[in-house]
Structure formats: C-alpha cells, structure tokens
C-alpha cells in the first residue's frame, strides 16, 4: 500500500467524520425542540459539535454524555442518533458475499432482526459461523491469551479454585485476527444493523472473553467481570455482535439480558453503574430476563444499552468473541494508536502493521466508514 493510497483512506475517514457536522449543527439549532431543555444535554451537543469538527473526544464531554443518558432515560442518545441518521445516507450491501449458509432470504433475516432489535433489544439469529472460521478464531484467541496469561488459561478452562474468573483478550492482538472482520463485515449483519441505526455501522472494539466455571468468591468479582446488570455507554448508539466459540447452555454462562430495557425501565435503573438481581426483582422486571444459549458458532446481536450481564458458568467454561457496531465514534476518548493505518507510518510494531493491513482490506470490502475507527 502506497502512502498515496493511505492518504486517500485517511481523507475518506475525515470526510466520514465531517458528515456528522450537519447533524451537529441541526442539534445545536434545535436541541430544545427535540428534548426538554437541559444544561447537560446542551453541553453534550456542544461537545458533539467539537467532535464533528475535529474527530476528537474529551473526558469532560464524555462525563456529560453519560450523565445525559441517565437524566433523560436514554432519550438524549436516541434523539442525537435519529438526527444523525437524517443526515447520513445508507449504503447497499451485496448479500451474495455472505459467509453464512442459509436457506432463508437475506432480506427476511434483516427484517426479522430489525423487529427483534427494535422491540426487544436483541436478536438471536439462526446464522452459524462456518466451522473452519470458528476453529481458527478460537485457536488464535486462546493462543493469544496463553501468551499473555500463561497457565492461568488452562486453570480457567479447568475451573480450578485458583483460576481467574475471567480472562479478557488483549485488544491489540484481536485487531490482527481476520476472522473478527470476516464475521462482522458480513453483508447480512451490516444490513440488519444499518436498518436498526438508520446509517452504515462502524466497526469498533473487538473483544474476547474466557469465563471460568470456578465458584464466585465475592460480589466484587461479579462487578469486575460484568456479571451484575448494567448498560454499556461508550458511544451514542451501538449494537454488539456476539459469537459463541464454545457450546453454551444454561450452566455455561449464557449472555443474559432484560428484554425491552433499551427503551423502557423503572427510573432508578437508568442510573450509571451496576444493579443487583435483587434491585431488578424489586423493580418488577426480572420476568423479562432472557438467557441466550446455543452451540459454538451461534451469532446474536444485542443493543447493550439494555440491562445485561454475563452469567457465571456453573459447569463448563465459556469462550466468546464480541465486536461493537456503532453509529459514531463520539463519546469515550480513545488513543490515537487506535488509528492503525495512520499509526503504522510512525512505528515498526508488527502487530500495528498487521492490523493496518486488515483495515485497508476491509475498508475496500465493506467501506471506509466501516473501518473509520482504524484508519
């Protein structure tokens, strides 16, 4: 890849950010018409305007961003997202390029997924990641974890008493695994998320988790490993793609959520932070709890602004890969090193160069906006 070709990608990335400038101006002019007047929301709109001009976030704006979400019970982020969708066009996806073997028309899968995401906040698809991709990704993730954590990985798999409750895959390594991009760039999934958010999604935050079946020893462990109910809030609007890389039944730590809480929940449960099962039960919402199970290769999507948690495995360990689709990179600040292509010109780090090569390839396959975070 020549410097000139990288320059074109970087210019495309910056243009993708500037597409949000019209949305930021719309919000600045009409915010009191869209939302009940609020100092926090106004400051959030100012911060969004700064992001749309510069592509940069800051911690003060991010704190107001999170505060506005709780104060408005999610309406602030939904309004900002709807205005953004009004100003950014959709794209067409070529379903013939799907990696999934399905007899269902892709358009029907997209419609079904849209219905479930809108009404329930999640969609467990009937799609299965092809076994060779599952095996390859599983092998790479476990090898990376072993390189970073040594014998702790075997202990977590065996569930020994001294095992870590959870091991998280290192972000830098995960950005070099093509399987993460192969799955998340699939046109069926992209089209489904685009219909839900109203604009083409951005690839963000690949993660992997290995959860051990050892006994939980404290409430602090539950909180530290996201095994208490909470909502995610790094970006304005997002859908997380989950892929099970082991068989997951009710005793293997299924992803757990409370249906519909991406839009509706009792007031106190909009507060930032963790919420116990007891608090959710007292609020009368645990009847809508859903446990998502399935064999390895299972694919599901969740709007994790809904209340959700990981259930601790009781019998078998759980390995899971995750990618966040987002409508904007406005929100939580991130390091300039995230821009893999830009950063690759300043370093000889092989991991950065491998991630940059994948960002180039998938900017070509799925669009510059899809790879905006890594250009």
């Amino acid at each position: 890849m020549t410097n000139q070709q990288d320059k074109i990608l970087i210019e495309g990335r910056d243009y993708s950010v500037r597409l949000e400038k019209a949305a930021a101006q719309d919000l600045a002019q009409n915010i009191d018409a869209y939302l009940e007047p609020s100092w926090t929301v106004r400051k959030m709109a100012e911060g969004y305007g700064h992001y749309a001009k510069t592509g940069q976030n800051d911690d003060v704006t991010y704190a107001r961003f999170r505060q506005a979400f709780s104060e408005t019970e999610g309406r602030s982020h939904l309004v900002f997202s709807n205005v953004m969708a009004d100003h950014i066009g959709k794209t067409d996806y070529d379903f013939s390029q799907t990696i999934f073997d399905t007899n269902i028309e892709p358009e029907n899968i997209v419609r079904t997924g849209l219905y479930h995401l809108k009404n329930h906040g999640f969609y467990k698809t009937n799609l299965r990641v092809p076994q060779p991709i599952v095996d390859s990704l599983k092998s790479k993730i476990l090898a990376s974890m072993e390189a970073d954590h040594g014998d702790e990985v075997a202990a977590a798999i065996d569930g020994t008493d001294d095992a870590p409750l959870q091991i998280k895959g290192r972000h830098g390594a995960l950005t070099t695994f093509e399987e993460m991009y192969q799955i998340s760039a699939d046109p069926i999934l992209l089209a489904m998320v685009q219909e839900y958010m109203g604009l083409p999604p951005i690839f963000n935050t690949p993660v992997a988790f290995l959860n051990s079946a050892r006994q939980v020893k404290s409430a602090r462990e539950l909180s530290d490993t996201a095994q208490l109910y909470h909502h995610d809030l790094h970006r304005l609007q997002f859908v997380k793609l989950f892929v099970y890389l082991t068989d997951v039944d009710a005793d293997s730590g299924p992803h757990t959520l409370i249906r519909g809480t991406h839009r509706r929940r009792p007031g106190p449960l909009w507060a930032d932070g963790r919420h116990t099962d007891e608090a959710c039960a007292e609020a009368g919402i645990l009847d809508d709890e859903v446990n998502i199970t399935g064999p390895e290769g299972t694919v599901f999507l969740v709007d994790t602004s809904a209340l959700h948690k990981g259930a601790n495995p009781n019998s078998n360990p759980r390995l899971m890969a995750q990618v966040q689709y987002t409508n904007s990179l406005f929100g939580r600040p991130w390091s300039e090193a995230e821009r893999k292509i830009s950063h690759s010109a300043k370093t000889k780090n092989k991991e950065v160069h491998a991630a940059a090569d994948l960002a180039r390839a998938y900017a070509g396959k799925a669009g510059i906006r899809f790879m905006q975070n890594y250009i």
Side-chain angles (χ1 to χ4, degrees), residues 90-318:
K90 293 183 179 181
T91 193
D92 293 324
Y93 294 107
D94 180 2
F95 294 136
S96 71
Q97 301 301 308
T98 183
I99 65 171
F100 298 112
D101 182 12
T102 176
N103 295 322
I104 304 172
E105 288 295 324
E107 292 84 358
N108 290 336
I109 300 174
V110 170
R111 280 194 292 270
T112 302
L114 174 62
Y115 173 85
H116 282 271
L117 283 167
K118 286 179 66 175
N119 290 282
H120 305 306
F122 77 100
Y123 178 47
K124 180 185 173 184
T125 78
N126 290 321
L127 304 172
R128 293 291 177 271
V129 176
Q131 195 63 43
I133 297 178
V134 170
D135 293 342
S136 178
L137 183 56
K138 182 176 182 177
S139 176
K140 288 180 181 180
I141 288 173
L142 288 175
S144 174
M145 287 180 172
E146 287 168 357
D148 291 335
H149 299 278
D151 293 341
E152 288 187 342
V153 175
I157 292 172
D158 292 340
T160 59
D161 190 57
D162 61 344
L165 198 63
Q166 180 185 84
I167 295 175
K168 185 175 180 180
R170 186 168 53 82
H171 175 77
L174 288 161
T175 63
T176 70
F177 300 161
E178 184 167 9
E179 295 84 355
M180 300 292 282
Y181 303 86
Q182 274 183 289
I183 300 166
S184 58
D186 188 86
I188 295 176
L189 298 178
L190 290 177
M192 194 184 305
V193 176
Q194 174 173 254
E195 288 305 305
Y196 181 61
M197 298 198 301
L199 75 179
I202 299 168
F203 176 100
N204 188 225
T205 321
V207 182
F209 297 102
L210 173 63
N211 284 74
S212 175
R214 79 146 167 86
Q215 186 175 3
V216 177
K217 298 177 180 178
S218 68
R220 177 62 183 269
E221 281 193 327
L222 289 176
S223 180
D224 289 347
T225 55
Q227 294 184 48
L228 293 175
Y229 275 113
H230 63 283
H231 57 247
D232 295 336
L233 200 59
H234 291 170
R235 303 284 170 241
L236 273 174
Q237 189 178 29
F238 44 87
V239 174
K240 289 194 176 175
L241 163 67
F242 295 92
V243 180
Y244 284 150
L245 298 175
T246 51
D247 296 340
V248 176
D249 60 18
D251 291 321
S252 307
H255 182 86
T256 303
L257 62 100
I258 302 180
R259 180 191 298 121
T261 51
H262 64 314
R263 295 289 180 265
R264 305 172 305 280
R265 69 182 89 154
L269 295 181
W270 286 100
D272 231 341
R274 309 300 198 194
H275 306 284
T276 63
D277 285 8
E278 291 75 17
C280 292
E282 288 175 8
I285 61 174
L286 274 190
D287 286 346
D288 288 317
E289 186 177 72
V290 176
N291 295 308
I292 300 178
T293 61
E296 63 178 8
T298 294
V299 174
F300 58 101
L301 298 164
V302 183
D303 179 340
T304 57
S305 66
L307 293 174
H308 66 284
K309 65 177 182 176
N312 191 63
N314 295 320
S315 56
N316 300 309
R318 183 199 70 184

